[in-house]
Amino acid sequence: MLKQKYSLTFFTVLLFFVLSSCASISTSNLKNKEIYINYNTSNKNKEYIIENLLLDQKKFNAVFNEEGGLKIKNDLLSSNLLYFCNSVEKDQQIQIEKNLFKKENDEKNTFVIYSKDFLSYINELRINYPNVNYYEIDEKSYELFSNKILNIDSSIIRSKEIQKLDFEIEITHEPRRRQDLQRIYFVINYSEAKSLIPIFISNALDVSYYGTSRILIEAPNVKKINDFEGLFIPIPEQFFKTISEKNPTNSLKQEYEKLLISDLLVIEQYFQTNKKLKNLKLNSGYVSSNQSCLRRNMPILQIKPENI
C-alpha cells in the first residue's frame, strides 16, 4: 500500500519503473475496487495514466507492453480511447455538423474556411454538404483573405474611389460585408486561427463562428483562449475552468490529454465494477452506453471570459 503523499524522488522512480517495457505496479485504496489495466501505448500516455491513478488514490494494477495489451494511440484526441464509438475530435465534428447543417439552415449561408492540412475531412464535407461555400486559406495576409471572403475589399475600393473626387472632404466609411453569410466553420490549426479568427470576428460581429478543439490545443496556456472570444466549440461548460484550476500555465493539449486519460480510467472502473453507464458526466462530455460502444454528447459552448 502506498502512502497518500509522495515525494518527488519516489514519483520519479515510480514513473521510471512503470515506463519500462512489460512493467507493472499496484497500489490500494479501501474505498475502491482494484482496477486492472493492460495497455500498449506511448511513454507519455503511461505517465499520464500513472499520475492520474496516484493522484486519485485508486486501487489499481497497471501493466504495460505485455502480450494482449489494449492499444491506445499516442494522439489521444484522435483515439477512441478503447471504448468510445469515435474519438473526441470526431464527436466534436459530428456535433458541429448537426448544428450547422440543420434542415432549417440554408447551406448557401454557411461558409467553411480550411487549410490544406484538413483536406481529407473537407472532402467528406463536400460530399455530404455540396451547397456549402468552401474557401481554402490562400493569402499571405489574413486581413486581405478576410476582406475577400466578407466582400469588404470591394466596399473599401469604392470608398477610395469616392475619396479621390475630393481629398479635402474626410469621408467616414464603415465597410459593408456580404449579407448572405450567417455561419462560418473554421477547420484550421492554432497557428492560423490565432490571427485569422479575431479578424473575422471584429469585421462581422453578427456571424456565428464554429470550430473544434484542434483550433485551441496548441495554445501555450488556457489564458490564450481569450483570443477566440465569441467562437462556438463543442465542449463541456466546466472544461476551461477545470484546466485553469489544475495548472493554467501548462499547454492546453497536455492538460486536455490528461483529462481524456481520466475519462478512460473512470470508464474502466465502471466496466470492471459492472456499473451501468447512462448519461455519465465526464471531462469530455456526457456518455451513455450503446450496444457496441460508448456515445459521447457535448454541449456547444461559446467562448466568453466568464467561461475561462
Side-chain angles (χ1 to χ4, degrees):
M1 180 178 291
L2 299 178
K3 294 181 180 179
Q4 293 184 0
K5 295 183 180 180
Y6 312 95
S7 69
L8 180 60
T9 302
F10 172 80
F11 190 71
T12 303
V13 172
L14 181 63
L15 288 180
F16 177 80
F17 176 70
V18 170
L19 297 181
S20 302
S21 178
C22 300
S24 66
I25 180 170
S26 64
T27 186
S28 62
N29 186 317
L30 296 176
K31 296 180 181 180
N32 299 315
K33 181 179 178 180
E34 181 176 88
I35 304 172
Y36 173 77
I37 57 175
N38 182 6
Y39 296 151
N40 287 329
T41 190
S42 65
N43 284 350
K44 176 203 69 176
N45 290 341
K46 293 174 190 175
E47 183 177 338
Y48 292 165
I49 291 166
I50 296 304
E51 179 182 341
N52 180 275
L53 290 170
L54 291 176
L55 292 177
D56 284 0
Q57 299 185 10
K58 291 184 175 71
K59 180 182 177 183
F60 68 92
N61 188 342
V63 179
F64 297 109
N65 298 336
E66 285 198 349
E67 185 177 354
L70 301 176
K71 187 174 182 180
I72 302 174
K73 286 184 180 180
N74 179 56
D75 182 5
L76 297 175
L77 272 75
S78 64
S79 169
N80 70 347
L81 296 175
L82 303 178
Y83 306 113
F84 290 88
C85 302
N86 303 300
S87 68
V88 66
E89 182 176 36
K90 185 61 179 177
D91 278 337
Q92 287 183 342
Q93 292 172 348
I94 291 171
Q95 196 70 27
I96 288 177
E97 289 173 32
K98 285 181 179 179
N99 194 281
L100 278 180
F101 308 122
K102 293 182 291 188
K103 289 183 179 180
E104 59 267 30
N105 289 345
D106 189 342
E107 288 186 8
K108 294 180 180 179
N109 294 330
T110 300
F111 288 28
V112 175
I113 295 175
Y114 65 94
S115 62
K116 60 183 179 181
D117 294 336
F118 302 95
L119 283 178
S120 177
Y121 175 52
I122 294 300
N123 288 335
E124 292 179 18
L125 290 178
R126 286 184 186 275
I127 293 172
N128 295 326
Y129 312 104
N131 295 321
V132 169
N133 300 279
Y134 296 91
Y135 295 94
E136 182 179 353
I137 300 174
D138 60 358
E139 299 281 352
K140 292 183 179 179
S141 169
Y142 290 141
E143 187 169 0
L144 290 177
F145 177 75
S146 172
N147 289 346
K148 183 173 72 174
I149 300 301
L150 296 173
N151 204 25
I152 289 177
D153 52 352
S154 59
S155 179
I156 293 174
I157 291 172
R158 286 195 299 271
S159 174
K160 290 181 179 179
E161 292 296 326
I162 295 173
Q163 182 70 71
K164 288 179 182 178
L165 298 176
D166 192 340
F167 287 104
E168 294 182 359
I169 299 176
E170 183 177 349
I171 298 177
T172 302
H173 174 66
E174 293 185 7
R176 293 184 60 188
R177 69 167 182 84
R178 63 192 304 165
Q179 297 303 304
D180 61 339
L181 170 59
Q182 296 181 5
R183 297 164 291 274
I184 294 181
Y185 180 16
F186 290 102
V187 187
I188 55 181
N189 56 42
Y190 175 74
S191 62
E192 297 155 337
K194 66 180 180 180
S195 299
L196 185 61
I197 292 180
I199 294 173
F200 269 92
I201 293 177
S202 64
N203 285 330
L205 292 172
D206 55 342
V207 172
S208 297
Y209 300 96
Y210 295 83
T212 70
S213 58
R214 277 290 170 189
I215 285 177
L216 310 177
I217 57 172
E218 297 302 332
N221 56 67
V222 72
K223 294 179 181 179
K224 291 294 184 180
I225 303 306
N226 284 314
D227 295 340
F228 304 105
E229 183 178 348
L231 182 72
F232 287 96
I233 182 169
I235 214 158
E237 185 176 351
Q238 294 299 316
F239 177 81
F240 294 116
K241 290 182 180 179
T242 300
I243 289 181
S244 297
E245 291 169 358
K246 291 170 67 65
N247 194 340
T249 61
N250 278 357
S251 73
L252 194 64
K253 183 176 183 179
Q254 180 179 351
E255 293 302 330
Y256 198 173
E257 289 192 322
K258 288 182 179 181
L259 292 179
L260 292 177
I261 286 295
S262 176
D263 285 356
L264 170 62
L265 295 175
V266 169
I267 295 299
E268 288 282 12
Q269 191 171 28
Y270 266 76
F271 282 167
Q272 295 182 28
T273 55
N274 296 317
K275 292 182 180 179
K276 292 184 179 180
L277 281 171
K278 186 176 181 181
N279 207 31
L280 175 66
K281 185 179 180 181
L282 296 178
N283 296 308
S284 58
Y286 292 89
V287 175
S288 296
S289 180
N290 193 11
Q291 290 183 349
S292 58
C293 57
L294 299 178
R295 294 200 176 277
R296 185 190 287 112
N297 185 35
M298 307 175 181
I300 294 185
L301 175 74
Q302 187 176 32
I303 295 177
K304 298 178 181 178
E306 58 266 29
N307 292 331
I308 301 176

